[in-house]
Amino acid sequence: MHDEATFRVKAGLAEMLKGGVIMDVVTPEQAKVAEDAGACAVMALERVPADIRRDGGVARMSDPTMIRGIQEAVTIPVMAKARIGHFAEAQVLEALEVDYIDESEVLTPADEANHIDKWAFKVPFVCGATNLGEALRRIGEGAAMIRSKGEAGTGDIVEAVRHLREITGEIRRLATLDPTELPAAAKRLQAPLDLVQETARAGRLPVVMFCAGGIATPADASLVMQLGAEGVFVGSGIFKSEDPARRARAIVEATTHFADPERVASASEGLGGAMASLESRKLPEEQLLAPRGW
Amino acid sequence: MVGVLALQGDFEAHRRLLDGLGADSREVRTPADLAGLSGLVLPGGESTTMALGAAREGLDRALPAAAADGLPMLATCAGMILLDRDHLGVLDIRTQRNAFGRQIRSFESDVTLEGFGEPMHAVFIRAPWVADHGPTVESLGELDGHVIAVRSGRIVAVAFHPELTGETRLHRWLVDAAAAF
């Protein structure tokens, strides 16, 4: 008998993605470039975050035709984004049989109080988080994978570093607490007690954690892997750069060899220009994506 | 010392399982990392990513050479695909990738493997099956009429993930084979 779509199977796919690079793509051709460069999955979307920033307006789930085209172009897992709280978009993505749904702050939120009930789906979800409480709330709602948010579409790594350090630092603090202190910690984190207890016991999140938002170079990938990410999402960083195929291969290589500076150095050579960047500290409040999500 | 191929995939889960069995392990990313190993795990992950990484590192030559020297190997899921005729050519098998379907069809089930005793609980994630195999390869088990585990000499390859369920018998087999190598 097949027991389908259990949490173990959902979280298990994230385990298989570890040590890899998930790349944003907007066409089947880009998906093929990503696969040939060694991406472990692609994120199908209509516009990369840098273009969403530039164009403004409401950012929504992608056209199913585009998602199907990408599914036909590659054999690696295909992920797609739904708006925060927009469970009908998620239902459409499930009907398309995407391999993972990203309930993403990069798109314009559809619900300012509630996230999607991810337990109601057979397709697994990845969600963004800026701190441990947010990560555990998402897991409580059924997310089978977490990514630190960073600030998408900027090419600025500073927010990714802030969020990763927030999450890993809180986990280290939890692990030092006496079990009787965990209920108060759960209250402070605004997170489910059972997940706080599980995290404290294991010294790690109950699911795989990748890093997203601002990765533009091989050294950026090495940095976040050394800070505790188990893999990376690269959004605008590849296809907004001068030589996407080469940069994609280089970031894959640096993610595998993140702890070997000589390999990161050789991967970094002669890549051409990185994406046009924005300093996230200089962005006006209303243009920040990371605060979306509750 | 057992190596765990760490180009990409769930190599840490394998290392945790080996730790639990008291076996020393280390990560393998380059041919130099193979020196002195007495066993090797090829983990789950994305087979395309792992195959490209193996070619980049020169492991596409070093791994078949190690297999020819008789290095015991345990391959799970993408690791099994990596060893097939179309990739490293270490096992005389043809695999069908994502044979059970996309992620939405990923599942858990009990399977029985010849020589491994009672049924084991298995997790299949976008899993392959063995579409056909040569005479040097023995089928160890089937699910729904498809071969999902094979053995050839000192190599065992399975389509599922014992490392995700805490199933230790396959790793125990590898550790024993490594001790005898």
Side-chain angles (χ1 to χ4, degrees):
Chain A
M1 205 199 88
H2 291 197
D3 200 359
E4 288 184 351
T6 59
F7 191 74
R8 180 141 67 185
V9 158
K10 293 174 171 179
L13 178 56
E15 289 282 339
M16 299 311 138
L17 299 172
K18 277 169 79 167
V21 182
I22 300 170
M23 302 182 190
D24 278 5
V25 297
V26 301
T27 64
E29 293 71 32
Q30 286 188 356
K32 197 72 192 111
V33 169
E35 182 176 59
D36 291 344
C40 66
V42 289
M43 177 74 69
L45 73 176
E46 218 148 45
R47 292 177 287 171
V48 295
D51 288 338
I52 292 174
R53 279 187 189 286
R54 191 196 58 203
D55 300 346
V58 174
R60 309 182 178 92
M61 175 189 76
S62 298
D63 183 334
T65 310
M66 192 274 285
I67 294 172
R68 284 191 202 282
I70 288 170
Q71 285 173 317
E72 281 161 23
V74 296
T75 60
I76 56 177
V78 175
M79 302 182 164
K81 289 183 193 286
R83 283 178 266 178
I84 290 173
H86 205 314
F87 54 85
E89 282 189 348
Q91 288 163 352
V92 170
L93 295 175
E94 178 162 86
L96 294 171
E97 300 196 354
V98 302
D99 294 297
Y100 241 94
I101 296 172
D102 184 359
E103 186 182 19
S104 178
E105 71 283 359
V106 168
L107 305 185
T108 312
D111 189 322
E112 294 193 329
N114 308 291
H115 281 250
I116 296 170
D117 170 18
K118 293 163 275 286
W119 295 111
F121 289 80
K122 290 180 73 177
V123 173
F125 279 75
V126 56
C127 287
T130 58
N131 56 52
L132 181 59
E134 194 176 2
L136 295 180
R137 286 195 294 279
R138 296 296 86 79
I139 297 167
E141 295 156 2
M145 179 178 183
I146 291 294
R147 54 176 174 75
S148 58
K149 282 181 178 171
E151 192 56 35
T154 60
D156 186 353
I157 199 68
V158 67
E159 293 302 312
V161 168
R162 185 195 319 282
H163 300 155
L164 266 180
R165 284 198 185 276
E166 276 286 337
I167 294 168
T168 57
E170 277 289 357
I171 292 173
R172 279 192 296 274
R173 279 191 285 282
L174 270 192
T176 65
L177 296 183
D178 183 271
T180 59
E181 296 170 316
L182 292 176
K187 182 180 169 193
R188 178 175 57 79
L189 292 167
Q190 300 178 51
L193 176 58
D194 58 331
L195 293 175
V196 170
Q197 288 166 329
E198 190 180 339
T199 303
R201 198 166 42 238
R204 47 182 292 159
L205 279 184
V207 301
V208 168
M209 177 177 67
F210 272 44
C211 175
I215 294 161
T217 70
D220 287 346
S222 169
L223 174 69
V224 299
M225 292 293 288
Q226 292 187 60
L227 286 173
E230 298 179 290
V232 298
F233 284 85
V234 186
S236 321
I238 289 170
F239 288 99
K240 286 287 168 187
S241 75
E242 196 178 323
D243 187 345
R246 188 157 181 194
R247 185 165 293 264
R249 282 196 303 274
I251 293 177
V252 168
E253 189 173 343
T255 302
T256 295
H257 295 284
F258 71 90
D260 182 346
E262 285 179 24
R263 291 296 301 264
V264 178
S266 64
S268 305
E269 281 181 41
L271 297 182
M275 65 180 283
S277 56
L278 293 166
E279 197 178 336
S280 30
R281 216 171 235 294
K282 294 188 178 150
L283 289 175
E285 186 87 29
E286 68 274 13
Q287 286 181 23
L288 295 175
L289 302 177
R292 295 168 166 181
W294 2 96
Chain B
M1 176 68 72
V2 175
V4 182
L5 188 67
L7 293 168
Q8 189 271 324
D10 74 334
F11 49 90
E12 282 170 1
H14 281 281
R15 291 196 68 192
R16 278 198 293 274
L17 204 57
L18 289 165
D19 277 352
L21 293 175
D24 288 332
S25 70
R26 73 159 180 256
E27 293 173 4
V28 172
R29 292 183 172 82
T30 66
D33 296 334
L34 290 170
L37 293 182
S38 51
L40 181 69
V41 173
L42 296 104
E46 275 311 307
S47 58
T48 311
T49 307
M50 287 165 60
L52 288 165
R56 182 188 66 222
E57 304 298 334
L59 283 163
D60 55 341
R61 293 182 302 277
L63 289 174
D69 289 342
L71 183 69
M73 296 184 183
L74 170 63
T76 65
C77 195
M80 179 168 91
I81 296 170
L82 199 61
L83 294 181
D84 75 8
R85 284 176 200 151
D86 295 332
H87 294 89
L88 299 182
V90 168
L91 286 178
D92 188 16
I93 59 172
R94 187 166 61 81
T95 57
Q96 173 83 37
R97 292 185 55 203
N98 304 336
F100 292 94
R102 297 185 194 279
Q103 172 61 17
I104 199 165
R105 310 266 173 262
S106 292
F107 63 97
E108 301 185 35
S109 182
D110 288 340
V111 296
T112 304
L113 298 198
E114 190 133 350
F116 286 90
E118 294 295 300
M120 53 179 77
H121 191 62
V123 177
F124 290 81
I125 296 173
R126 299 176 86 246
W129 63 50
V130 178
D132 80 82
H133 61 86
T136 59
V137 175
E138 170 197 3
S139 165
L140 294 182
E142 296 188 357
L143 187 68
D144 304 343
H146 302 287
V147 175
I148 46 90
V150 295
R151 178 172 182 166
S152 175
R154 291 184 187 142
I155 301 175
V156 168
V158 299
F160 56 91
H161 297 283
E163 73 279 12
L164 293 187
T165 53
E167 166 56 55
T168 57
R169 281 170 280 176
L170 290 155
H171 290 76
R172 172 55 66 193
W173 168 85
L174 179 69
V175 170
D176 290 345
F181 179 63

